[in-house]
Amino acid sequence: MTPQLATLLVACQDRKGLVASLAQVLYGHGANILDSDQHTDPVAGMFFQRLRFDLSSLTTDRVSLEHGIKEVGERFAMSWTLSYVSRMPRIAVFTSKQEHCLYDLMIRHRAGELRCEVACIISNHADAAPIAAHFGVPFHHVPVTAETKETAEAAAHEIIEAAKVDLIVLARYMQILSSAFVAKYPSRIINIHHSFLPAFVGANPYKQAYEKGVKLIGATSHYVTADLDQGPIIEQTTIRVSHRDSVEDLVRKGRDLEKRALAQAVRWHLEDRILVYAGKTVVFD
Amino acid sequence: MTPQLATLLVACQDRKGLVASLAQVLYGHGANILDSDQHTDPVAGMFFQRLRFDLSSLTTDRVSLEHGIKEVGERFAMSWTLSYVSRMPRIAVFTSKQEHCLYDLMIRHRAGELRCEVACIISNHADAAPIAAHFGVPFHHVPVTAETKETAEAAAHEIIEAAKVDLIVLARYMQILSSAFVAKYPSRIINIHHSFLPAFVGANPYKQAYEKGVKLIGATSHYVTADLDQGPIIEQTTIRVSHRDSVEDLVRKGRDLEKRALAQAVRWHLEDRILVYAGKTVVFD
Amino acid sequence: MTPQLATLLVACQDRKGLVASLAQVLYGHGANILDSDQHTDPVAGMFFQRLRFDLSSLTTDRVSLEHGIKEVGERFAMSWTLSYVSRMPRIAVFTSKQEHCLYDLMIRHRAGELRCEVACIISNHADAAPIAAHFGVPFHHVPVTAETKETAEAAAHEIIEAAKVDLIVLARYMQILSSAFVAKYPSRIINIHHSFLPAFVGANPYKQAYEKGVKLIGATSHYVTADLDQGPIIEQTTIRVSHRDSVEDLVRKGRDLEKRALAQAVRWHLEDRILVYAGKTVVFD
Amino acid sequence: MTPQLATLLVACQDRKGLVASLAQVLYGHGANILDSDQHTDPVAGMFFQRLRFDLSSLTTDRVSLEHGIKEVGERFAMSWTLSYVSRMPRIAVFTSKQEHCLYDLMIRHRAGELRCEVACIISNHADAAPIAAHFGVPFHHVPVTAETKETAEAAAHEIIEAAKVDLIVLARYMQILSSAFVAKYPSRIINIHHSFLPAFVGANPYKQAYEKGVKLIGATSHYVTADLDQGPIIEQTTIRVSHRDSVEDLVRKGRDLEKRALAQAVRWHLEDRILVYAGKTVVFD
């Protein structure tokens, strides 16, 4: 039995009475608040809140509740989203030849860590087909070359729309998506970059790290924007390395970082824990 | 100029309407909520909240606000505390011969990390006197032997009361306080134990760790209760060790852990971030 | 082409001339030392060394080299092992219903992180059969009940011997192996325990951790001995937890720790980096 | 009683017979090797070794031993340094107004963590004078302005030479040293930079980190070269941050990172654990 829970995410200019008004509207409809996390950014003058509540005790109904929230939202010029736990979000995983992040997501999904349906796996190589089959997920091979990029993205877009996908996860997808494609999914594409951004943007970050002689390497998950490797950072992880580590060792150690940073970001997104503003994220973890 | 802020910490049985009622009473008096963190423990059926708010916009006054909170508190059988940032809490630091935690606290205090006044330093050895002098804090040498323990604790008690101390910090104080003494300060004595409790309780935890051959060592800060090393855990830190580390190396590495775990606990306590229940802590960090 | 490398692991009472004698015998046969790590335990008066060297430049042959090492070994009463990288060690993975460590090992193996052949997967449940099939590894279902334990272990033993297994990995295998079985494979069975030993030995460590209210949880990989959860520790990992984490959250967070601590231990073992003495390990990482 | 120990640090082109030759020369003079760590960089074709040995059993004398090492060194074109533990290295600490790193070094020194004498403290402000006095270290106030930089550096140089300083530690010294000054002390000036280099070079790294919205901040200790913030990295540390952390919080959290990264680097340097080549470090920890 799916629990009757919902999550309300709110962002707006800070004003007095915001917390009280939101609590009041939920209480007024009989919703029981289970978790409430709030943040005020004094520099930006912004207010953010995440409210998770139980609907089983509603004294009105969902339509009426949504109407009430809408009314408060308008009063304070809030941007807000309301998600019902009963509705499973759907994700598409993009991958290339490196399979560790794909495997990691699938195994976590299977273990119940990621509350979603994996709608499809899309790759520019056929290698991941047996993995998709093993986990019972539809696989789409969409090859990409410099010449066919536009067509390939159109094909991917069609697959995603047909599969009613809510979130795109780039699990070491080695292609750069066009600005036009990215613009279709604002704050709905999560990428994993294999360095602690903003250090080592661009290609071969592990080689860059080796040559620089750093003593720790990192991985960064972020929302994808038109600016390569510059989107809002969601999670970062690091691990110690030493002079003993070759580039190959950095790659191996980095795989662990990438898996964790990406899975964490996907989980937070699926649980409506992330708000984006001013090129940064608020993560209610 | 001290900001006009206050912090409300609340614990009670979970019920519907708690968040709304608390937000409402603050809003009703014109207080502006800056930070709100809340936790519901579904196992224990308990509700916890920390609210930090600005008083500068109060439309009534403090007495009236406190009255309003009291009324809500009674309605829901809440236990609650209200602290004004304008009132500086006062701490007493107990120490013995090892000085690293004492130094660490004093330096952090001097850097503005710990919002309190250091009312006094009490030690069973005279060694710390020059440190107290350097930082301009009254020093009390209260020697303790098996025979004089009761008298010594009475003397310490008198000093603490005279200095109007709110929190006692045991900064590697190598004496075990009597149950009678501890009972006077429930959730108001913080100790640092040099292991990741519950592993290695009692004496010589670093030697125990060395002999066991663990690959990480830890430190644990906790409130002191009558049960030695069993009080509610506030913070724990760990660091990697290897076969290369002698007991002395563990002691050295451990000092860093102890300093951080103790300072963090003291800071959280002073900022009214900790609630204790069922032998555990809720830390709103 | 497999590189012509070998690893020499040595342990003995500390004496002068050990490093020189070992270096001399390798040099004398034309071996080129690539990596040398050494440890002297002044408390136990013990000497340990790991030497990795290139055989491609041997001026004699392997038989002659081994003879030379044997001679030095006898002179200093060394216990030593010599492994050729050209010989792939073979592992057997034992598992039950929880599949995350099994998956993790298989994916790391596939990515080239674990230099071994996975000879077989043995489980007391049939659930892992499709996973074994996906990775192309022989699967053996060996059910165990209190009554059939001896027979089951005999069956497992037979499978292991037939498969010429060098190392047994207990990847969340939920059965306790008998002392008789364990005695057959000294320092050749690696287990993962889901706590930072020695805290929380025995059953349900995550539940114990939850009830204790610790602020970090851990995982420990260790060699299996007749004393449950008391074998030499190889690797330990920890992660922060808070009052927000339910037992289920600890289990989820712990899976990541277990995977890393187990995989690291297996990798070190396979690379001849671990020496056991006095109930502890020396790990040349 | 000072133990009769010595440390030999060696770097040269990789060749067969290096380990054997070094071990042989020490053994030949009766030195007992306590610790030996070695690294071969296959990319650069370089060989590095650190040998720590006991001189109390020498069958010849120091002059004769040094002669033997020199002979081997010439044969293999080694660059090498030999340090006797009986000789205490001397350090000068440069500081400005921020005192946390200075305090941290002094307290660690007092606790016996740093095997050196603190020859003097030099600052462009007078603020640190009482700290120097508390720890009994000579203090020199050397003000610096854009106009007087050359004179100031000359004064500092004179103080350092008079104090026979082996290592200069920049403990949040907020002045940029001239290339000419830096050139006098190659691999003998250690600085702490308050970011995980190469991210956030230059001024105000915490502000840069805040604006970028990173989820971890770092600190980096490195040898100073003529290129600002580009010298060989010795140690890096990181800590998690979140949207809740203001720039001031980052500064506070960063202080802990800076203290640890700097102290670790100084300790390693004083124990002859660091070799520099190709703009990077080998750290035998």
Side-chain angles (χ1 to χ4, degrees), chain A residues 37-39 196 200 210 212-216 230 233-236 238 240 243-244 280-281 283, chain D residues 37-39 196 198 200 210 212-216 230 233-236 238 240 243-244 280-281 283:
Chain A
D37 204 348
Q38 182 251 327
H39 174 61
F196 48 75
F200 309 132
Y210 177 82
K212 180 69 190 167
V214 292
K215 298 303 183 183
L216 57 84
Q230 298 294 328
I233 293 172
I234 305 171
E235 171 67 334
Q236 298 189 291
T238 52
R240 292 188 71 81
H243 61 270
R244 293 192 183 282
K280 306 199 278 188
T281 61
V283 179
Chain D
D37 204 348
Q38 181 252 327
H39 174 61
F196 48 74
F200 309 133
Y210 177 81
K212 180 69 191 166
V214 293
K215 298 303 182 182
L216 55 84
Q230 298 295 327
I233 294 172
I234 304 171
E235 172 67 331
Q236 298 188 291
T238 53
R240 292 190 71 80
H243 60 271
R244 293 193 184 281
K280 305 200 279 189
T281 61
V283 179

Side-chain angles (χ1 to χ4, degrees), chain B residues 43-112:
Chain B
V43 176
M46 291 290 290
F47 170 93
F48 308 95
Q49 191 167 17
R50 178 182 187 265
L51 290 148
R52 192 161 180 89
F53 47 92
D54 189 347
L55 299 162
S56 61
S57 55
L58 271 196
T59 50
T60 63
D61 59 16
R62 293 189 184 191
V63 173
S64 171
L65 173 67
E66 286 177 28
H67 197 267
I69 293 170
K70 186 159 173 283
E71 190 276 323
V72 174
E74 278 166 6
R75 184 151 31 106
F76 293 99
M78 293 171 172
S79 77
W80 58 276
T81 57
L82 179 66
S83 310
Y84 296 102
V85 167
S86 57
R87 187 191 165 276
M88 274 286 198
R90 296 170 62 80
I91 72 170
V93 183
F94 281 49
T95 191
S96 290
K97 292 208 164 187
Q98 296 208 41
E99 62 193 28
H100 57 284
C101 283
L102 171 62
Y103 260 125
D104 186 68
L105 290 169
M106 297 312 301
I107 293 163
R108 287 179 195 272
H109 179 256
R110 187 167 157 141

Side-chain angles (χ1 to χ4, degrees), chain B:
Chain B
M1 196 193 70
T2 309
Q4 295 190 52
L5 302 177
T7 307
L8 179 62
L9 267 181
V10 171
C12 64
Q13 288 287 314
D14 191 27
R15 277 173 58 181
K16 261 206 291 189
L18 289 164
V19 173
S21 299
L22 287 164
Q24 193 56 48
V25 74
L26 295 180
Y27 179 62
H29 291 79
N32 189 26
I33 296 174
L34 301 177
D35 247 314
S36 144
D37 204 348
Q38 180 251 327
H39 175 61
T40 307
D41 181 329
V43 176
M46 291 290 290
F47 170 93
F48 308 95
Q49 191 167 17
R50 178 182 187 265
L51 290 148
R52 192 161 180 89
F53 47 92
D54 189 347
L55 299 162
S56 61
S57 55
L58 271 196
T59 50
T60 63
D61 59 16
R62 293 189 184 191
V63 173
S64 171
L65 173 67
E66 286 177 28
H67 197 267
I69 293 170
K70 186 159 173 283
E71 190 276 323
V72 174
E74 278 166 6
R75 184 151 31 106
F76 293 99
M78 293 171 172
S79 77
W80 58 276
T81 57
L82 179 66
S83 310
Y84 296 102
V85 167
S86 57
R87 187 191 165 276
M88 274 286 198
R90 296 170 62 80
I91 72 170
V93 183
F94 281 49
T95 191
S96 290
K97 292 208 164 187
Q98 296 208 41
E99 62 193 28
H100 57 284
C101 283
L102 171 62
Y103 260 125
D104 186 68
L105 290 169
M106 297 312 301
I107 293 163
R108 287 179 195 272
H109 179 256
R110 187 167 157 141
E113 289 185 31
L114 304 175
R115 192 169 170 80
C116 66
E117 278 171 34
V118 184
C120 59
I121 294 169
I122 297 176
S123 179
N124 55 332
H125 296 283
D127 308 51
I131 303 175
H134 175 66
F135 292 103
V137 173
F139 178 78
H140 303 274
H141 181 201
V142 183
V144 183
T145 63
E147 292 74 35
T148 65
K149 185 168 186 145
E150 205 172 324
T151 327
E153 287 193 350
H157 177 66
E158 202 167 308
I159 295 164
I160 290 164
E161 294 305 308
K164 296 184 195 310
V165 164
D166 298 285
L167 174 70
I168 296 169
V169 182
L170 307 185
R172 297 302 307 274
Y173 181 63
M174 306 304 276
Q175 299 292 319
I176 296 170
L177 296 169
S178 72
S179 297
F181 186 92
V182 168
K184 288 190 185 106
Y185 305 100
S187 300
R188 285 174 56 203
I189 311 177
I190 294 177
N191 183 45
I192 180 71
H193 183 80
H194 39 319
S195 83
F196 49 74
L197 290 173
F200 310 132
V201 297
N204 286 327
Y206 291 127
K207 188 151 177 292
Q208 291 182 57
Y210 177 81
E211 283 164 3
K212 181 67 191 169
V214 292
K215 298 301 183 185
L216 56 83
I217 56 168
T220 305
S221 55
H222 62 93
Y223 285 116
V224 176
T225 59
D227 288 335
L228 188 66
D229 299 338
Q230 298 295 328
I233 293 171
I234 304 171
E235 172 66 331
Q236 299 189 290
T237 51
T238 52
I239 195 171
R240 293 189 69 83
V241 297
S242 82
H243 60 271
R244 294 192 183 280
D245 291 304
S246 63
V247 175
E248 289 69 37
D249 291 322
L250 301 192
V251 169
R252 171 178 55 77
K253 288 186 167 183
R255 279 198 292 261
D256 267 14
L257 300 178
E258 297 163 25
K259 290 189 286 187
R260 273 149 53 203
L262 180 59
Q264 186 69 284
V266 171
R267 215 171 73 86
W268 281 334
H269 181 100
L270 293 173
E271 295 179 355
D272 300 296
R273 295 181 179 279
I274 316 179
L275 279 160
V276 174
Y277 83 108
K280 307 199 279 189
T281 61
V282 168
V283 179
F284 290 121
D285 64 335

